[in-house]
Each structure stands twice: as structure tokens, then as C-alpha cells.
Amino acid sequence: MKKAVFMIIVAVLNSAAFAQTKRVIEEEYTGTRCGWCPRGTVGMELVQEKYGDRVIQVAAHYPPQDGTSMATLSKWSGYENIMARIVGVPTAFLDRRFDIDPYHGRNSKGFGAPEMIDQLLEQKCIADIDVEAKWTDEKYQWVEITSNVKFYENLNREYRLAYVITADSMYKDDVDWAQLNYYYNLGDDSSITSDPNLEPLTHEKKYIKGLKYNHVPVAGAGVELGMEGSLPPSVATTENYVHRVQLEIPVFETTETNPHPTVIPKEHLNAIAFILDAKSGYIVNVNKMKIPAPATTGINAPSTKEVFPSKTIYAVDGSLRPKAMRGLNIIRMEDGSMRKVWVK
């Protein structure tokens, strides 16, 4: 599977209204073979219940402890290098400023995540971001995300934009998708049974089956360091900055060794965009939009008769393109022949 990203940036004067709202991004690192990670799931759910969209969540699955395609997707989305620096899971980064346990926070027991989240939400909002997303092709493979950024200070500092598409309700009837649960035999541990949020985990089995996983990254651009040049080297309060990318939703092919590949639920996708300080690596602000379900986008439904496209277009690096772009294009025709086309 290949993905391609295309971008354009323009500056527009006072083109949008902003609420000057500070939000926090919580990037959790988890895995189905991590026996303590059910605690992280509980923490993420409690944070979402408490803060709603003031805290925007991503749950990247850690490859060394996860045999699912969710780990592959997390890697493809741009979290590979970040996950390489993770010492243990579950853990979570808040605006990439603080690392915490997604349930305990920095406490030894109880639900402590809100302590650090509240500190970040109280910080001054130097920039806000608005997000829009739409499908751009009839096969519902490509999503265009538009971010509109407004700064509240004139700053001579490099900021960059980054994008993630996450999926909710990820599910597969496969043994690797069962969640290991170390709490199953802690029914006599008073430190666990006295915690009303963790106590229910002691009634589950060692492997919890049938779970639907949320906030799983499936595509991304500039996730680790931001997209260079996505914002100008200095920013002004008099301008709004509009930036667009197109991201491809991955497709897992059916093979002899994988006869029932993972299907990404396109009706449960979210587009996330965030502003990253290029020098410190901190995330300044973030926002998200639920991507419209394919049936509600107004795009004609894909034809069930057309199994293969009449032609497929690739860049020279092998990444798939939605159409012929400027430069060299490699076109695979329906009969399997290849053509090279240069577009000025």
C-alpha cells in the first residue's frame, strides 16, 4: 500500500471566525499484547467523557506488542519514529509537552490524567485552527483536509502543520485482536477493587474478545515533525492561513496468507489537524472534524461493475496519484502495459 500527499498554502485576510479556544491532543500508545493497556483504554474513555472535543485523542498501537494491522496503520501514519522512543505502554503524550499514564496521570493510583490536561487547557491560546474534510473520488479512497489557521500574536518563529486521520470502531474477528488483560486475576487486590473505574476489569477474562478500538491512526502527513513550509517562517495576526492536503485511506489486499484483511470503517473516520512548534516540538493547538460517511457526501457511489480502474497513475516513487500531476507520471493501463507521461 502506498500513500501520497499533495498540499497547497494560501493566505486569506479575515476569512474565518475563530473562538480562540485552546484544545489538547492526547496521543496514547497502546497494544493488544499489553496486559496493562486496558487501564489506558479506561483512562481515554474517561477523558473523552469529561472534556469532549476539548481533548482530541489518537491511540497508536505499539508494534512490538501488537500483532494487528492497527500497529501497521499506526506505523504508516507517521508514528513509527515516535513509537521507537517509547519505553513502555500504556503511555500518553499531552501536546507533546507532558508524558503521562493515560489513566493515573502522574499519580500512583486513581484517575489522575485531568491534572496535567487542566494545566494545558489553561495555557494562553496563541493560535487557533479550524478543520474541514471531504472525499474527492468516487471510490472513497482519498480525503482532502483543509486547515484554516489564525494566530493571535505576530511571531517570528517557525510553525508547521500536521494531519492525522483516525478510525473508530476498528474490529476484526481474529485472535490477535483480543486484548490481553492482566487485571483478570486481581480480584483480591484491594488497590484495584477499591477503584470503581478499574474494578470491572477484574471480572473480564485474560483475553478480552470482541472489542472495537477507537482513535486508531490510519493515515497521516507530517505527524512527527510537521510539514515543512506548511506555514510561513513568520506569522501575523492580520492573516488567516489556509492549507490543504490529500490523504489516501489504506486498503489491505486479500492474499493467501491473509484471506480476510482488515477493513477500515469509512463511516467512522475523523480528520485531525494540529499546529506544531518546529523548534520545541510542542503542539500549539489542534482540532478535528468527523469525515462525512461515504453515503452522505453527495459523490456518486462506486460502481459495483468496475473492479479495476481503466488506468492507475503513480509518481516515480511508486505512490498512488488520484490524477496525472505536474512532472513525471507512470500510468498502468487496463491491459497491464505501462506508460510514462510528463505533465508541465
Side-chain angles (χ1 to χ4, degrees):
M1 194 287 302
K2 297 285 186 179
K3 67 178 181 181
V5 180
F6 309 98
M7 56 183 171
I8 183 172
I9 180 169
V10 296
V12 183
L13 294 179
N14 300 320
S15 63
F18 293 91
Q20 199 165 347
T21 302
K22 176 69 179 85
R23 303 173 197 84
V24 169
I25 182 169
E26 179 180 22
E27 296 168 298
E28 184 206 24
Y29 297 88
T30 184
T32 57
R33 290 299 170 266
C34 162
W36 300 117
C37 283
R39 175 180 76 236
T41 301
V42 172
M44 293 281 280
E45 290 176 350
L46 291 173
V47 165
Q48 190 174 55
E49 180 180 339
K50 179 177 177 64
Y51 295 100
D53 286 343
R54 289 294 302 279
V55 177
I56 292 170
Q57 298 176 319
V58 178
H61 284 241
Y62 193 53
Q65 297 180 328
D66 194 314
T68 71
S69 52
M70 292 185 290
T72 301
L73 288 165
S74 298
K75 174 181 175 180
W76 283 347
S77 300
Y79 280 94
E80 180 177 14
N81 291 334
I82 300 175
M83 288 189 292
R85 300 192 293 268
I86 300 297
V87 176
V89 291
T91 192
F93 292 159
L94 302 177
D95 282 354
R96 300 192 186 165
R97 290 174 180 262
F98 303 136
D99 61 287
I100 65 167
D101 182 284
Y103 179 72
H104 293 307
R106 292 189 170 177
N107 300 328
S108 59
K109 61 181 180 179
F111 178 46
E115 179 182 359
M116 305 305 291
I117 292 174
D118 288 342
Q119 287 188 33
L120 290 171
L121 288 174
E122 292 171 0
Q123 289 189 346
K124 184 179 181 181
C125 180
I126 66 169
D128 208 346
I129 184 169
D130 188 43
V131 182
E132 296 181 358
K134 64 180 181 179
W135 298 97
T136 61
D137 67 313
E138 292 186 350
K139 294 183 180 298
Y140 306 110
Q141 207 65 37
W142 291 86
V143 177
E144 181 181 87
I145 307 174
T146 302
S147 60
N148 194 325
V149 179
K150 171 71 175 178
F151 282 87
Y152 300 109
E153 297 180 17
N154 297 318
L155 299 167
N156 186 21
R157 189 178 181 92
E158 184 183 3
Y159 293 93
R160 298 177 180 178
L161 294 169
Y163 300 86
V164 184
I165 293 178
T166 60
D168 295 330
S169 299
M170 289 286 290
Y171 171 79
K172 188 177 181 182
D173 186 13
D174 187 287
V175 65
D176 285 337
W177 287 60
Q179 176 66 57
L180 181 61
N181 172 35
Y182 287 162
Y183 292 90
Y184 82 103
N185 64 347
L186 297 181
D188 58 353
D189 187 332
S190 61
S191 67
I192 302 301
T193 57
S194 62
D195 187 324
N197 299 314
L198 298 183
E199 191 274 338
L201 294 174
T202 65
H203 302 292
E204 297 286 351
K205 295 181 178 180
K206 183 177 181 179
Y207 288 94
I208 307 174
K209 299 179 180 179
L211 293 178
K212 292 185 177 181
Y213 298 88
N214 296 326
H215 319 299
V216 179
V218 299
V223 167
E224 182 186 8
L225 302 174
M227 301 180 71
E228 188 174 358
S230 52
L231 288 170
S234 61
V235 293
T237 60
T238 56
E239 296 183 345
N240 294 343
Y241 301 97
V242 179
H243 185 261
R244 295 184 179 89
V245 296
Q246 289 193 38
L247 297 180
E248 180 189 17
I249 304 302
V251 175
F252 289 88
E253 296 182 355
T254 301
T255 64
E256 291 184 5
T257 58
N258 188 23
H260 303 290
T262 300
V263 177
I264 296 174
K266 295 180 180 179
E267 68 276 20
H268 298 299
L269 298 180
N270 303 284
I272 298 172
F274 56 87
I275 310 166
L276 191 143
D277 185 321
K279 184 176 181 180
S280 67
Y282 297 157
I283 294 174
V284 173
N285 214 341
V286 60
N287 210 339
K288 77 172 184 179
M289 173 188 171
K290 180 175 175 58
I291 299 173
T296 63
T297 61
I299 298 176
N300 293 330
S303 171
T304 57
K305 296 180 180 179
E306 184 182 13
V307 179
F308 300 102
S310 58
K311 61 183 179 181
T312 309
I313 305 172
Y314 299 90
V316 291
D317 64 357
S319 58
L320 188 66
R321 288 181 165 179
K323 61 181 181 179
M325 309 294 290
R326 186 175 182 179
L328 183 62
N329 298 267
I330 301 173
I331 301 178
R332 183 183 181 91
M333 306 306 292
E334 189 174 18
D335 60 4
S337 63
M338 306 292 287
R339 298 181 183 177
K340 294 182 180 179
V341 176
W342 179 268
V343 178
K344 294 183 178 181

